[in-house]
Amino acid sequence: MSDATPTPTATPERPQLPAQSPPVDPAETAAASEAAKTSNRLSWWRGDSGEGARRNLGLIGVLVVLVIIGAMTRWDLYSNPDWVWGNTLTILKLASVVGVVTVGMTFVIIGGGIDLSVGAILALSAVWATTVATQSYGAGGMIFTALVVGVSVGVVNGILISYGRLVPFIATLAMLVAARGLAAEISNKQTQLSNNTFINNIASEKLLGIPLLVYILAAVVAAGWVLLNRTTFGRRTVAVGGNPEAARLAGINVRRHTLLLYALSGLCCGIAAIMLTAQANSAQAATANLYELDAIAAAIIGGTLLSGGRGTIIGSLLGVIIFSTITNLFAINGLSSEAQNMVKGGIIVAAVLVQQVQFRSITQFLGRNRLTSS
Amino acid sequence: MTQHSPDLSRRRMLFGGVAVGAGVLLAGCTSNEASPTTAQTKAAATGVNNEPGKKVVIGFSAPADDHGWIAAITNNAKAQASAFSDVELKPVAAGADPAAQRAALSTLVSQKPDVIVVLPHDGKELNAFGLEAMTAGIPVINLDRAFPDARAYRLQIKGDNYGMGVAAATYIIAQLKAKGVSNPVIGEIPGIDALELTQERTKGFNDTLAASGFKVANRRPAEFTVDSGQQAATGLFQALPKIDAIWNHDDDQGVGVMAAINQSGRKEFFMVGGAGSKKAMEDIQADNTVLKATVTYSPSMASSAISLARLIGQGKGMSDLVELQVPKEIVLASETITKENASNYLKLGF
């Protein structure tokens, strides 16, 4: 939908705006909505232009190649269908926490921002939810605390960025440090054990043979997809990220919307915090280290444009699963984690290179050569 | 969001203030009390060395890590210092990396303490600081992470990393031989692989296993955190459908490893931990998990370092030794804690 962002043609409509009471979406250019609707009708699952769908197919191709490599290197394991099924579920389970964080990150990046504080927010939410004081209120209290802390920190990020006019990079970098510091303070630098069986069971229980964590991931991805592709909020996100000034002229409250995006990211961190606490049966301030990089990398590999205005939830999900599969591939072959990080780095660079080439050709086609400076 | 308005600075201040205030307010709501660490400190009532002497100012710096072991190091040092009426502790936060710690230590040197006790982020990178302080006439006591240059420290107190590996392997070999397992599948979950201490632990483990004709089947490093432990263990279980024994280097990340064990339902193996956390010792004592032993790497070394720093500052020796001065190097022994002796060690758990 990047080509659908409000263009200067929206400007003449501006004087009409005061006549309409709240600044609602009709101004988000009829053409934009039409283009989005058409492409969505053609392929419901891609939620983007045809280019996004091609990219998603490419990502699925990468996954298939990874599985083939796995089968070739460890046929003794892959020849057992039970193991393959269990392994697939394990990969999804390990992808679930970062996956939920990545959904929030995708929204923030599409909206033209970046959230470097997600790992720290996650740690803070998890530590807060597992403090003795909070645990005494039971599972409900812990979940509520995690979500409230996540959203609150996200709102603080949003206020600093949209009303305090801090650059997102700086504001969330500061939050990265501050939230971890606060988490260390609250936890007294000790691992907080979760004694709540309901919480701990979230990671071990299964429904119809599939771990609960995978359902949570699926639910968050589905909600994110609907929010991005089927609601005004989603269209506004794309507009704000593509061209904030045009979006503002089109009647979108850019500041409020930006704040909501960071709150949404915080909410995802809160959900992920409960999932991670369940997985580790505990929380500590150093937890979720470098998750921000995993989430950003997954979103970018999934086709989200780092400069905003374009991206898909399905692509981000595939990005997370690819990372999780690579980790699994290295684990079952007993290869070192250093080599694994090098491969991950290579994949990120390759994905961004591909993206830049594609984006450049699109912008040149549209006659708006935005990347000439880079 | 690039447009500017004249009231910008005021607004920034306002919202910055709101944000900071909100954080402080939230922080005030919940907190965990510091657990007492008196069991890991020592202030014997008798002996000539314990009588108050010349006042000693001890500078102290350890990484401000979120890890339970490092936190215990700092807590122990503070508790031990407060047990002596003639010791004043000047702790400085070490920051996030060797560079930050170097800066913090420089300010400490300028305050001219009598002795400095330091647990460096990395002994190699802070070697120059040790030399500088020693040259300035301040004895330096290095905790845990050795300075490569012997002139950079007056005393070095270390855990026995190689010995931890040896102890863990020795226990595993004995258990496997008792069960009559001839070709065992052994997994290893070390901590941060880039650290020299991790490499030493692994070397001790491998050397000892090799002497019995055993080897590690798969090794998945974690990062000393619970979530990384959980993930590394999950990876290990996928790679090895059947396991006989696992050595997990660190009891803090071991919480995550245990979670992964519960989630996978795997219990065909037994596990040995590392460091000796209270939780690990309790699990070993209860004997209802796969964790059957842990090999020590006790943070009580910080308490010993403060006691010895005091003696060095007062020019005294260790009264049980013939030597007039405190020795140059002390390496703690790595002991193996099992169900049988856990009750003796529980007071040292952190």
Side-chain angles (χ1 to χ4, degrees):
Chain A
M1 274 194 275
S2 67
D3 52 337
T5 53
T7 53
T9 51
T11 317
E13 294 173 13
R14 201 187 171 212
Q16 301 167 9
L17 276 178
Q20 303 163 346
S21 40
V24 274
D25 57 302
E28 285 160 41
T29 67
S33 328
E34 273 313 306
K37 275 180 196 156
T38 318
S39 72
N40 283 340
R41 216 178 293 131
L42 288 173
S43 64
W44 60 270
W45 62 277
R46 63 198 188 200
D48 197 341
S49 59
E51 187 261 324
R54 273 200 305 281
R55 172 182 281 272
N56 288 349
L57 280 177
L59 292 173
I60 291 171
V62 171
L63 269 176
V64 170
V65 169
L66 290 174
V67 171
I68 291 172
I69 294 173
M72 279 164 61
T73 50
R74 285 299 299 268
W75 182 243
D76 56 320
L77 294 175
Y78 268 88
S79 56
N80 176 358
D82 283 346
W83 183 89
V84 173
W85 173 239
N87 194 46
T88 308
L89 293 180
T90 303
I91 289 174
L92 288 175
K93 211 172 135 181
L94 287 180
S96 61
V97 177
V98 179
V100 168
V101 174
T102 305
V103 169
M105 181 68 83
T106 306
F107 272 92
V108 170
I109 298 181
I110 293 176
I114 191 113
D115 191 346
L116 300 179
S117 62
V118 288
I121 299 179
L122 205 166
L124 181 60
S125 304
V127 159
W128 216 313
T130 50
T131 50
V132 182
T134 319
Q135 280 199 41
S136 60
Y137 291 102
M142 290 170 74
I143 293 171
F144 180 75
T145 308
L147 298 183
V148 167
V149 170
V151 172
S152 308
V153 180
V155 167
V156 172
N157 272 338
I159 290 174
L160 292 175
I161 291 161
S162 55
Y163 294 95
R165 307 254 178 93
L166 286 178
V167 180
F169 188 89
I170 301 296
T172 57
L173 187 65
M175 185 56 80
L176 180 160
V177 185
R180 284 229 188 260
L182 188 54
E185 186 66 39
I186 288 170
S187 64
N188 192 30
K189 299 183 185 175
Q190 298 284 338
T191 301
Q192 302 293 312
L193 296 177
S194 159
N195 297 317
N196 191 299
T197 41
F198 181 86
I199 297 283
N200 295 352
N201 282 345
I202 293 174
S204 46
E205 287 298 311
K206 292 180 175 183
L207 189 64
L208 304 174
I210 296 171
L212 280 184
L213 289 176
V214 177
Y215 286 104
I216 299 177
L217 173 66
V220 172
V221 166
W225 187 88
V226 169
L227 193 59
L228 184 63
N229 300 302
R230 286 284 179 274
T231 66
T232 316
F233 185 88
R235 282 201 296 280
R236 287 181 177 177
T237 304
V238 174
V240 166
N243 188 340
E245 180 60 15
R248 188 182 68 80
L249 293 174
I252 299 173
N253 187 335
V254 174
R255 286 182 178 179
R256 193 182 63 197
H257 193 85
T258 305
L259 190 154
L260 288 176
L261 288 176
Y262 286 93
L264 180 68
S265 175
L267 176 67
C268 287
C269 293
I271 297 170
I274 287 295
M275 296 164 77
L276 196 66
T277 305
Q279 267 191 2
N281 291 356
S282 62
Q284 63 186 167
T287 212
N289 189 27
L290 298 184
Y291 274 33
E292 52 278 358
L293 295 190
D294 284 354
I296 294 168
I300 290 173
I301 287 175
T304 302
L305 197 64
L306 201 48
S307 52
R310 198 186 74 192
T312 70
I313 298 292
I314 301 294
S316 295
L317 175 69
L318 288 170
V320 173
I321 293 175
I322 285 176
F323 273 163
S324 186
T325 308
I326 293 171
T327 308
N328 180 258
L329 194 60
F330 274 72
I332 61 173
N333 282 296
L335 297 172
S336 77
S337 47
E338 292 81 7
Q340 177 184 313
N341 289 340
M342 288 189 276
V343 169
K344 274 190 184 180
I347 288 180
I348 295 169
V349 171
V352 175
L353 282 178
V354 167
Q355 193 179 57
Q356 284 201 342
V357 170
Q358 285 179 345
F359 188 65
R360 195 173 291 141
S361 56
I362 291 168
T363 47
Q364 278 168 355
F365 177 74
L366 293 175
R368 293 184 309 167
N369 204 337
R370 283 167 55 173
L371 280 182
T372 39
S373 57
S374 65
Chain B
M1 278 181 290
T2 49
Q3 69 267 51
H4 292 277
S5 57
D7 62 340
L8 201 66
S9 60
R10 201 189 59 193
R11 199 176 271 167
R12 264 192 205 142
M13 284 255 287
L14 190 66
F15 283 109
V18 167
V20 171
V24 170
L25 196 70
L26 289 169
C29 299
T30 43
S31 171
N32 283 302
E33 287 300 310
S35 50
T37 53
T38 43
Q40 290 186 39
T41 58
K42 186 166 182 134
T46 56
V48 66
N49 271 352
N50 288 297
E51 285 164 13
K54 191 186 102 180
K55 191 178 180 223
V56 180
V57 178
I58 302 175
F60 176 79
S61 170
D65 204 293
D66 310 322
H67 188 262
W69 188 86
I70 302 248
I73 284 279
T74 306
N75 291 341
N76 286 350
K78 287 180 180 163
Q80 182 67 62
S82 63
F84 294 114
S85 58
D86 50 0
V87 165
E88 185 196 337
L89 194 72
K90 271 194 189 214
V92 290
D97 55 23
Q101 191 174 27
R102 205 176 295 129
L105 284 167
S106 309
T107 60
L108 189 61
V109 169
S110 64
Q111 296 173 43
K112 302 218 180 299
D114 298 308
V115 191
I116 290 179
V117 175
V118 56
L119 194 153
H121 274 284
D122 184 327
K124 286 185 190 124
E125 294 198 53
L126 284 163
N127 186 60
F129 159 78
L131 279 173
E132 183 192 321
M134 289 288 283
T135 313
I138 304 172
V140 174
I141 298 181
N142 178 308
L143 257 183
D144 190 45
R145 297 174 191 175
F147 291 139
D149 190 335
R151 292 171 300 155
Y153 59 90
R154 164 64 184 83
L155 164 65
Q156 197 149 266
I157 306 183
K158 297 193 287 188
D160 185 5
N161 286 298
Y162 187 86
M164 275 179 93
V166 173
T170 306
Y171 180 85
I172 286 174
I173 291 165
Q175 294 295 310
L176 291 174
K177 290 223 164 124
K179 286 182 188 171
V181 186
S182 57
N183 198 11
V185 178
I186 300 172
E188 185 187 359
I189 304 175
I192 299 171
D193 225 0
L195 294 179
E196 198 178 341
L197 64 92
T198 298
Q199 292 157 15
E200 283 176 12
R201 290 176 190 186
T202 292
K203 187 162 189 321
F205 192 58
N206 285 339
D207 288 356
T208 313
L209 287 181
S212 291
F214 295 164
K215 64 176 184 2
V216 171
N218 200 321
R219 183 178 184 278
R220 307 308 315 156
E223 291 165 11
F224 289 139
T225 60
V226 280
D227 63 322
S228 64
Q230 196 265 348
Q231 280 158 24
T234 306
L236 190 74
F237 295 155
Q238 287 313 109
L240 305 172
K242 186 189 167 296
I243 303 174
D244 292 297
I246 293 177
W247 182 35
N248 164 53
H249 286 209
D250 180 79
D251 288 335
D252 259 33
Q253 72 187 19
V255 173
V257 175
M258 292 297 277
I261 291 170
N262 291 334
Q263 285 150 27
S264 66
R266 298 277 293 264
K267 45 177 177 266
E268 79 276 11
F269 53 85
F270 66 93
M271 185 165 87
V272 177
S277 76
K278 197 182 287 159
K279 169 91 168 81
M281 289 192 211
E282 284 165 359
D283 282 352
I284 292 166
Q285 204 168 28
D287 196 21
N288 52 12
T289 66
V290 295
L291 186 68
K292 299 301 177 198
T294 190
V295 291
T296 60
Y297 195 81
S298 179
S300 59
M301 66 174 81
S303 314
S304 303
I306 297 293
S307 294
L308 296 175
R310 172 176 165 271
L311 293 181
I312 288 171
Q314 295 176 345
K316 293 178 184 163
M318 294 164 73
S319 51
D320 284 345
L321 302 184
V322 179
E323 321 308 323
L324 293 177
Q325 295 292 331
V326 173
K328 171 101 176 174
E329 184 153 326
I330 294 174
V331 180
L332 307 183
S334 183
E335 293 145 76
T336 307
I337 302 174
T338 60
K339 188 175 69 169
E340 284 70 33
N341 64 6
S343 55
N344 299 340
Y345 286 94
L346 205 53
K347 65 179 192 303
L348 286 179
F350 57 90

